[in-house]
Short mmCIF file of all heavy atoms in Angstrom, two decimals:
data_model
loop_
_atom_site.label_atom_id
_atom_site.label_comp_id
_atom_site.label_asym_id
_atom_site.label_seq_id
_atom_site.Cartn_x
_atom_site.Cartn_y
_atom_site.Cartn_z
N GLY W 108 -17.07 37.49 14.88
CA GLY W 108 -16.42 37.27 13.69
C GLY W 108 -16.86 36.20 12.70
O GLY W 108 -16.06 35.58 12.04
N LEU W 109 -18.20 35.87 12.87
CA LEU W 109 -18.71 34.69 12.22
C LEU W 109 -18.07 33.39 12.54
O LEU W 109 -17.89 32.48 11.79
CB LEU W 109 -18.65 34.90 10.66
CG LEU W 109 -19.51 35.95 9.99
CD1 LEU W 109 -19.38 35.99 8.52
CD2 LEU W 109 -21.11 35.77 10.30
N ASN W 110 -17.75 33.24 13.84
CA ASN W 110 -17.26 32.03 14.45
C ASN W 110 -18.40 30.96 14.52
O ASN W 110 -19.57 31.40 14.94
CB ASN W 110 -16.56 32.22 15.77
CG ASN W 110 -15.17 32.71 15.60
OD1 ASN W 110 -14.71 32.73 14.41
ND2 ASN W 110 -14.50 33.02 16.59
N LEU W 111 -18.17 29.89 14.40
CA LEU W 111 -19.16 28.78 14.42
C LEU W 111 -19.46 28.52 15.92
O LEU W 111 -18.53 28.29 16.73
CB LEU W 111 -18.60 27.49 13.73
CG LEU W 111 -19.66 26.32 13.80
CD1 LEU W 111 -20.82 26.60 12.97
CD2 LEU W 111 -18.87 25.04 13.24
N ILE W 112 -20.70 28.56 16.31
CA ILE W 112 -21.07 28.29 17.70
C ILE W 112 -21.95 27.00 17.89
O ILE W 112 -21.97 26.54 19.00
CB ILE W 112 -21.70 29.47 18.28
CG1 ILE W 112 -22.98 29.94 17.51
CG2 ILE W 112 -20.73 30.63 18.45
CD1 ILE W 112 -23.78 31.08 18.10
N PHE W 113 -22.76 26.74 17.01
CA PHE W 113 -23.66 25.54 17.07
C PHE W 113 -23.67 24.71 15.74
O PHE W 113 -23.72 25.26 14.65
CB PHE W 113 -25.09 25.93 17.35
CG PHE W 113 -25.31 26.70 18.68
CD1 PHE W 113 -25.83 27.92 18.67
CD2 PHE W 113 -24.84 26.19 19.87
CE1 PHE W 113 -26.02 28.71 19.80
CE2 PHE W 113 -24.91 26.89 21.03
CZ PHE W 113 -25.53 28.10 20.95
N ILE W 114 -23.68 23.36 15.93
CA ILE W 114 -23.94 22.46 14.81
C ILE W 114 -25.16 21.56 15.31
O ILE W 114 -25.13 21.04 16.33
CB ILE W 114 -22.78 21.65 14.57
CG1 ILE W 114 -21.55 22.44 14.01
CG2 ILE W 114 -23.16 20.55 13.40
CD1 ILE W 114 -20.34 21.69 13.78
N THR W 115 -26.23 21.60 14.56
CA THR W 115 -27.47 20.82 14.93
C THR W 115 -27.28 19.34 14.92
O THR W 115 -26.63 18.79 13.98
CB THR W 115 -28.59 21.20 14.07
OG1 THR W 115 -28.33 20.94 12.67
CG2 THR W 115 -29.01 22.69 14.21
N ARG W 116 -27.78 18.73 15.97
CA ARG W 116 -27.80 17.26 16.08
C ARG W 116 -29.15 16.92 16.65
O ARG W 116 -29.65 17.62 17.53
CB ARG W 116 -26.68 16.76 16.88
CG ARG W 116 -25.28 17.12 16.38
CD ARG W 116 -24.29 16.58 17.33
NE ARG W 116 -24.16 15.13 17.21
CZ ARG W 116 -23.19 14.40 17.86
NH1 ARG W 116 -22.37 14.97 18.61
NH2 ARG W 116 -23.19 13.05 17.70
N PRO W 117 -29.78 15.82 16.16
CA PRO W 117 -29.40 14.89 15.21
C PRO W 117 -29.54 15.48 13.79
O PRO W 117 -30.13 16.48 13.66
CB PRO W 117 -30.21 13.61 15.43
CG PRO W 117 -31.55 14.21 15.88
CD PRO W 117 -31.12 15.38 16.83
N GLN W 118 -28.97 14.76 12.87
CA GLN W 118 -29.15 15.28 11.46
C GLN W 118 -30.61 14.86 10.97
O GLN W 118 -31.27 13.92 11.44
CB GLN W 118 -28.18 14.39 10.48
CG GLN W 118 -26.76 14.96 10.61
CD GLN W 118 -25.98 14.58 9.36
OE1 GLN W 118 -25.29 15.30 8.79
NE2 GLN W 118 -26.02 13.29 9.15
N THR W 119 -31.17 15.62 10.11
CA THR W 119 -32.40 15.38 9.57
C THR W 119 -32.44 14.09 8.64
O THR W 119 -31.31 13.84 8.03
CB THR W 119 -33.00 16.61 8.73
OG1 THR W 119 -31.92 16.85 7.65
CG2 THR W 119 -33.04 17.78 9.61
N PRO W 120 -33.47 13.42 8.49
CA PRO W 120 -33.50 12.16 7.68
C PRO W 120 -33.20 12.37 6.23
O PRO W 120 -32.82 11.46 5.55
CB PRO W 120 -34.88 11.67 7.99
CG PRO W 120 -35.40 12.29 9.17
CD PRO W 120 -34.90 13.65 9.29
N ALA W 121 -33.45 13.63 5.73
CA ALA W 121 -33.29 13.92 4.39
C ALA W 121 -32.74 15.37 4.23
O ALA W 121 -32.67 16.07 5.24
CB ALA W 121 -34.58 13.88 3.61
N PRO W 122 -32.25 15.84 3.06
CA PRO W 122 -31.67 17.12 2.93
C PRO W 122 -32.64 18.18 3.28
O PRO W 122 -33.89 18.19 3.07
CB PRO W 122 -31.34 17.25 1.37
CG PRO W 122 -31.05 15.78 1.00
CD PRO W 122 -32.04 15.06 1.85
N ILE W 123 -32.06 19.31 3.84
CA ILE W 123 -32.85 20.48 4.30
C ILE W 123 -33.26 21.26 3.14
O ILE W 123 -32.51 21.64 2.24
CB ILE W 123 -32.13 21.23 5.35
CG1 ILE W 123 -31.93 20.46 6.57
CG2 ILE W 123 -32.92 22.49 5.68
CD1 ILE W 123 -31.08 21.12 7.63
N THR W 124 -34.56 21.72 3.05
CA THR W 124 -35.03 22.41 1.85
C THR W 124 -35.40 23.94 2.24
O THR W 124 -35.50 24.67 1.32
CB THR W 124 -36.29 21.73 1.26
OG1 THR W 124 -37.27 21.67 2.34
CG2 THR W 124 -35.88 20.28 0.83
#
Side-chain angles (χ1 to χ4, degrees):
L109 290 180
N110 277 355
L111 180 66
I112 56 176
F113 299 123
I114 300 177
T115 57
R116 300 180 71 178
Q118 288 199 127
T119 56
I123 295 173
T124 57

